[in-house]
Amino acid sequence: MDADLVIVGAGLFGLTVAQQAVEHTGAKVEIIDVRKHIGGNAYSYVDEETGAEIHQYGAHLFHTSNKRVWDYVNRFTEFTNYVHRVYATHDGEVYPLPINLGTINQFFHAHYTPAEAQKLIEEQAGELAGTDPANLNDKGIQLIGRPLYEAFIKNYTGKQWQTDPAELPASIIKRLPVRFNYDNRYFKDTWEGLPKDGYTKWMERMIDDPRIHVTLGVDFFDESQPLNKKALVGKVPVVYTGPVDRYFDYELGDLKWRTVDFKEVRYDEGDHFGCPVMNFSDADVPYTRAIEFKNFNPERKDSQNPNKTVVWEEYSRFAERGDEPYYPVNTAEDKALYAQYEAKAAAEPKVVFGGRLGTYKYYDMHNVIDTALTAYEEQVAPLLAK
C-alpha cells in the first residue's frame, strides 16, 4: 500500500487531519470508511421530490466562536446567514425556545419586565432555590422554576433518555439558559450559518487533492480486505475515529450510547411547521422533535418544490451494537470504563484516536474540527516526521 497515513473514518475529524497532512507535509493519505459516503454524520443529500437538503443523521447546524475554526472552514465553503431558532409545542400552543422573556410572558399570559420575570423564576424554584441538586429533575426546577420546567423540559427529557428525570444526574443539563429579554436565537456564538451549497460539497473540497485517496464501504476490522487493523497498525501511522471499545473488540465491556431513529413524513404542502425544528414537550407525543429540512434553506426556494415538503420525526433510545451511536451516556461507570480504554489507546503504536466515537465525547462540528487541527499538530505531524 502506497500511503504515508491511513485514516479510519471519513467524518470531519478524519477529513481535517487528511487535509492538514497533505498541505503541510505532502503525505499520501488513504481514508477508509465503512459507510458508502464521506462526511460522517454531517453527510447530506438533496431530496428529489422536494428539493430539500436532507441531513441524513439529523439536523446539523454550524456555529462557532473559535476564529481558528471559522477561518479554516471558510477556506472550503461559504456560509448562509441562517440563524437557528427553535420552537416548542406544549399543550396545543407553540412557544419560542430557549426560554426567554417571550416564552415566559406567553406562558403566564403576562407582561413581566426582565426584573419581574427573574424574581418570578426565583420564587418558583421554591425550596430548591439556592441549592445544588444531584438529580436532573430537581436541578431543572432549581434553574427555571417548576412550571416552566414541567412544561418544556421534564417530559422532553424523559422521552430523550427513556428515564425518569429524577433518576438522571443533574450534570446532563448543567445549566438551562433563561434569557430575560426577547432574544430567541438558539446559539450565542460569534459565527453561524449553513454551507451555501451543502455539507457534502464542503467536505468534498476539503479532500480535493490527488494525494488523498478515499475507499468507501470498507470495514477496518474485516481481515479479508487489505486495509484492515491487523495489516496496518504498527506499520503505518493510523488515525482511528471509530468507536474506541470496538477497536479493542469490547474486551473491557461496551460503552453506552444513545441513538435516534427517524420517521419520514411527506406533506402535500409547501411548508408544514413554518420553522426548521419543532420540539414536542408533552409526553403524549412519542417523538422529541420534528425537522423540516426545507426551512433550513429559504434562500433556495426557487429550486424547491412549492407544493411538497418532507419532515423527519426524531425518536430517542439506547443504542445497541450495530446502531449509530449519537450521544455518550457518560455515567460514572462509563467514564471509568472509558478511562481504561483511553489508557489502552495511548499504548497503541502509531495510532491516534479522535472524534466523537474515538474519544467517547459529544462534540459539535466546530469542536471536532478544532480537536482535529490540534491532534494533527501535536500527534500526527510528529508521526509523519519520523
Side-chain angles (χ1 to χ4, degrees):
M1 183 193 64
D2 185 24
D4 303 305
L5 174 67
V6 174
I7 296 175
V8 182
L12 274 172
F13 190 97
L15 300 184
T16 300
V17 171
Q19 187 278 324
Q20 289 285 283
V22 167
E23 179 171 275
H24 294 293
T25 72
K28 293 181 181 178
V29 180
E30 177 73 40
I31 302 174
I32 67 172
D33 200 299
V34 72
R35 290 171 171 173
K36 299 294 187 181
H37 59 75
I38 68 166
N41 281 12
Y43 169 75
S44 65
Y45 63 92
V46 175
D47 177 66
E48 291 186 6
E49 182 183 43
T50 63
E53 180 185 347
I54 305 294
H55 304 182
Q56 182 163 319
Y57 302 93
H60 275 68
L61 309 159
F62 193 82
H63 55 97
T64 187
S65 294
N66 185 322
K67 188 174 187 303
R68 175 173 77 153
V69 170
W70 183 243
D71 289 346
Y72 179 74
V73 298
N74 273 272
R75 294 174 54 186
F76 309 105
T77 183
E78 294 181 71
F79 286 85
T80 68
N81 60 2
Y82 176 80
V83 174
H84 192 48
R85 291 182 170 88
V86 173
Y87 295 86
T89 297
H90 165 63
D91 199 19
E93 193 168 347
V94 175
Y95 297 83
L97 291 180
I99 293 168
N100 61 74
L101 195 56
T103 320
I104 294 168
N105 278 329
Q106 181 181 348
F107 186 79
F108 293 107
H109 306 288
H111 50 87
Y112 294 119
T113 66
E116 290 169 340
Q118 193 162 358
K119 182 180 178 183
L120 174 72
I121 297 303
E122 290 170 355
E123 291 173 351
Q124 290 180 340
E127 71 280 4
L128 295 170
T131 64
D132 188 19
N135 73 72
L136 188 152
N137 188 78
D138 291 353
K139 185 67 174 177
I141 296 169
Q142 183 256 327
L143 288 170
I144 62 172
R146 187 178 297 275
L148 290 170
Y149 165 75
E150 292 187 345
F152 297 107
I153 307 300
K154 182 177 181 177
N155 292 317
Y156 185 92
T157 303
K159 290 188 290 185
Q160 197 171 32
W161 288 90
Q162 293 176 302
T163 304
D164 186 331
E167 298 175 10
L168 293 169
S171 60
I172 288 176
I173 53 172
K174 294 180 182 176
R175 61 183 181 84
L176 287 173
V178 180
R179 298 176 188 159
F180 296 103
N181 55 36
Y182 290 95
D183 178 11
N184 70 331
R185 179 183 170 190
Y186 195 79
F187 303 116
K188 300 298 286 183
D189 284 301
T190 306
W191 299 286
E192 179 178 0
L194 296 172
K196 276 194 174 179
D197 49 4
Y199 280 103
T200 299
K201 290 290 186 184
W202 161 17
M203 289 176 284
E204 287 173 346
R205 291 191 195 102
M206 291 179 70
I207 54 172
D208 185 16
D209 190 291
R211 293 164 292 186
I212 298 175
H213 183 262
V214 180
T215 305
L216 299 175
V218 171
D219 186 347
F220 182 57
F221 303 102
D222 177 7
E223 294 184 7
S224 70
Q225 56 81 31
L227 298 169
N228 67 76
K229 177 184 173 184
K230 185 177 180 180
L232 297 172
V233 171
K235 301 176 180 66
V236 62
V238 172
V239 174
Y240 175 79
T241 68
V244 62
D245 51 358
R246 174 69 183 93
Y247 182 92
F248 295 104
D249 199 24
Y250 307 103
E251 65 181 63
L252 302 176
D254 291 40
L255 291 165
K256 293 194 289 294
W257 292 82
R258 298 289 295 171
T259 191
V260 292
D261 298 315
F262 299 101
K263 177 184 176 183
E264 183 177 280
V265 185
R266 292 179 179 266
Y267 295 95
D268 294 326
E269 51 190 303
D271 191 353
H272 186 70
F273 285 113
C275 63
V277 177
M278 178 68 73
N279 284 11
F280 288 86
S281 302
D282 300 333
D284 59 354
V285 178
Y287 47 94
T288 53
R289 61 179 183 170
I291 305 165
E292 187 165 9
F293 293 100
K294 284 174 68 174
N295 289 325
F296 285 126
N297 299 103
E299 77 283 357
R300 300 180 190 169
K301 62 180 184 298
D302 291 343
S303 62
Q304 295 175 341
N305 188 333
N307 303 309
K308 300 279 186 178
T309 192
V310 57
V311 169
W312 282 17
E313 298 168 352
E314 185 172 313
Y315 299 78
S316 178
R317 61 179 173 84
F318 282 102
E320 299 177 359
R321 286 192 193 179
D323 289 329
E324 296 291 348
Y326 279 77
Y327 308 104
V329 174
N330 261 336
T331 62
E333 292 79 10
D334 287 305
K335 290 177 181 177
L337 179 58
Y338 171 65
Q340 295 178 60
Y341 276 124
E342 186 178 27
K344 289 178 70 66
E348 283 293 283
K350 297 184 181 180
V351 180
V352 175
F353 289 75
R356 264 182 331 116
L357 306 181
T359 60
Y360 196 60
K361 291 181 176 65
Y362 178 74
Y363 285 129
D364 286 326
M365 285 182 285
H366 65 284
N367 302 128
V368 173
I369 294 166
D370 188 46
T371 56
L373 291 170
T374 299
Y376 170 75
E377 293 168 356
E378 297 181 356
Q379 297 174 269
V380 180
L383 289 174
L384 294 175
K386 291 179 179 178

